Amino acid sequence: MTKKIIIGNWKMNPVSRREAREIVSGIKKTVASLRKTTVVLCPPVIYLENLIGKKPGKTLFGAQDVYWEEKGAHTGNISPIMLKETGALYVILGHSERRASGEVGEIINRKIKAAMKAGLKVVLCVGEKDRDAHGHYLKVLEAQLKEALIKIPPRLVDQLIIAYEPVWAIGKDATGVETPEGFMHNAIFIRKVLSKIINKKQAMTVPILYGGSADAKNAESFLVAGGADGLLVGRASLSAKDFGEILKIAESLK
Ligand code: PGA
C-alpha cells in the first residue's frame, strides 16, 4: 500500500502563536511513531517559520494559498519563493473558500504553475457546491480540473495532489455527508478527466484525497472503502488529539 497523505488545513486558526505551537507539539508526539504516513500541516502563513523551526522534521508544512509572481508590486501577497524559504513544502490551491471569494480557474492555474516551478507540492481542491441526481455536477468537477491544469509541464505532475472536497460537506454548516462510495465514484471520474489532461500513466499516480468533515470516525471508511489516498482535514486538525487519532488510523492500515 502506498503512503497515505494526511493534511491539516487550519484555515484562519488559531488566533495565537502560542496555541499554534501547542497543537503542533501535540501532533508531533504522534507523528514521531509513524513510519508510513505523510503528515502535512497548513497553518496561517504568519506562523510557518516559527512552527517549522530550524531543522525540518517528520511533520511537513504548507500554506493555504500563494501568489503567482516571484516578486514586485503585489500588496499583501506572498510569492512561492518566499514560501519555500520558510521551509514549507506544500501549498493548498483552489480551496472552495477562496473560490467563494472570487478566485477563478485562470488564477488558480497561474498559482499552480508558479508554485510547482518553485518546487512546491500543490494540493489542488476541487468540488461541487451542489450534488444533483443527474450527475450534472460532474461537469463542474471537469471544468475545475481542466481550467486549473492548463499547460502544466508533464515533468511537474509528480508535484500534484488533488483534494476532492464537495462544498456541501465542508465545515460546521455542512448540509450533507459524503459517503465513501460517493467519494470513490468521483475519484474515478477525476482520474478519468486527469488522463485526458495529462497522460494516462501519470494520471494513475496522482494522489486523490478526500476532504469535507473528515474526522476520526469516518477516516477509515474513506481511506479503505472509499480508496482515498489521504485526507484533507479542516476542523479536526486543530485538535492534537483528534488529528492524532486520524493519523494513527491511517498508519494502521495494511
Ligand atoms: P472541514 O474542512 O474538515 O472542517 O469540513 C475541510 C476543508 O475545508 O478543507
Side-chain angles (χ1 to χ4, degrees), residues 9 11 92 95-97 125 165 169-172 174 211-215 232-237:
N9 173 13
K11 308 190 179 182
I92 297 170
H95 191 278
S96 60
E97 285 152 18
C125 299
E165 298 204 301
I170 293 177
K172 63 175 174 27
S213 303
D215 59 21
L232 180 54
V233 184
R235 280 156 298 155
S237 69

Side-chain angles (χ1 to χ4, degrees), residues 32-90:
S33 64
L34 307 180
R35 281 182 306 109
K36 40 177 203 170
T37 309
T38 301
V39 184
V40 185
L41 293 177
C42 300
V45 83
I46 189 86
Y47 300 146
L48 271 177
E49 206 148 19
N50 188 269
L51 295 179
I52 294 171
K54 290 225 163 24
K55 65 172 196 333
K58 269 167 88 177
T59 307
L60 308 176
F61 285 87
Q64 302 164 19
D65 184 37
V66 78
Y67 200 61
W68 63 84
E69 297 283 5
E70 285 182 6
K71 59 176 184 169
H74 306 289
T75 302
N77 286 311
I78 288 165
S79 84
I81 295 175
M82 295 170 187
L83 191 54
K84 249 338 247 320
E85 257 213 358
T86 67
L89 299 174
Y90 288 71

Side-chain angles (χ1 to χ4, degrees), residues 99-209:
R99 292 181 193 262
S101 56
E103 196 159 296
V104 293
E106 189 206 331
I107 299 298
I108 296 166
N109 176 250
R110 284 192 207 176
K111 290 181 172 182
I112 292 176
K113 285 194 278 204
M116 284 182 165
K117 192 171 156 220
L120 292 161
K121 289 207 188 242
V122 167
V123 184
L124 167 63
C125 299
V126 295
E128 76 283 0
K129 276 202 215 115
D130 303 296
R131 173 88 47 97
D132 64 291
H134 306 292
H136 294 312
Y137 74 93
L138 295 172
K139 290 263 171 272
V140 175
L141 292 184
E142 182 164 4
Q144 287 178 344
L145 289 163
K146 283 186 171 162
E147 286 169 8
L149 298 174
I150 291 172
K151 292 194 179 147
I152 299 295
R155 71 188 156 78
L156 300 182
V157 169
D158 62 354
Q159 288 166 236
L160 178 67
I161 295 165
I162 305 281
Y164 170 63
E165 298 204 301
V167 180
W168 48 268
I170 293 177
K172 63 175 174 27
D173 299 324
T175 56
V177 178
E178 176 59 302
T179 60
E181 298 72 33
F183 168 77
M184 184 179 254
H185 178 261
N186 293 319
I188 291 169
F189 177 78
I190 288 169
R191 241 183 245 297
K192 224 186 313 176
V193 176
L194 283 179
S195 67
K196 288 192 246 168
I197 308 172
I198 53 182
N199 73 56
K200 222 174 181 163
K201 213 167 136 203
Q202 281 187 307
M204 291 310 294
T205 64
V206 175
I208 302 180
L209 318 186

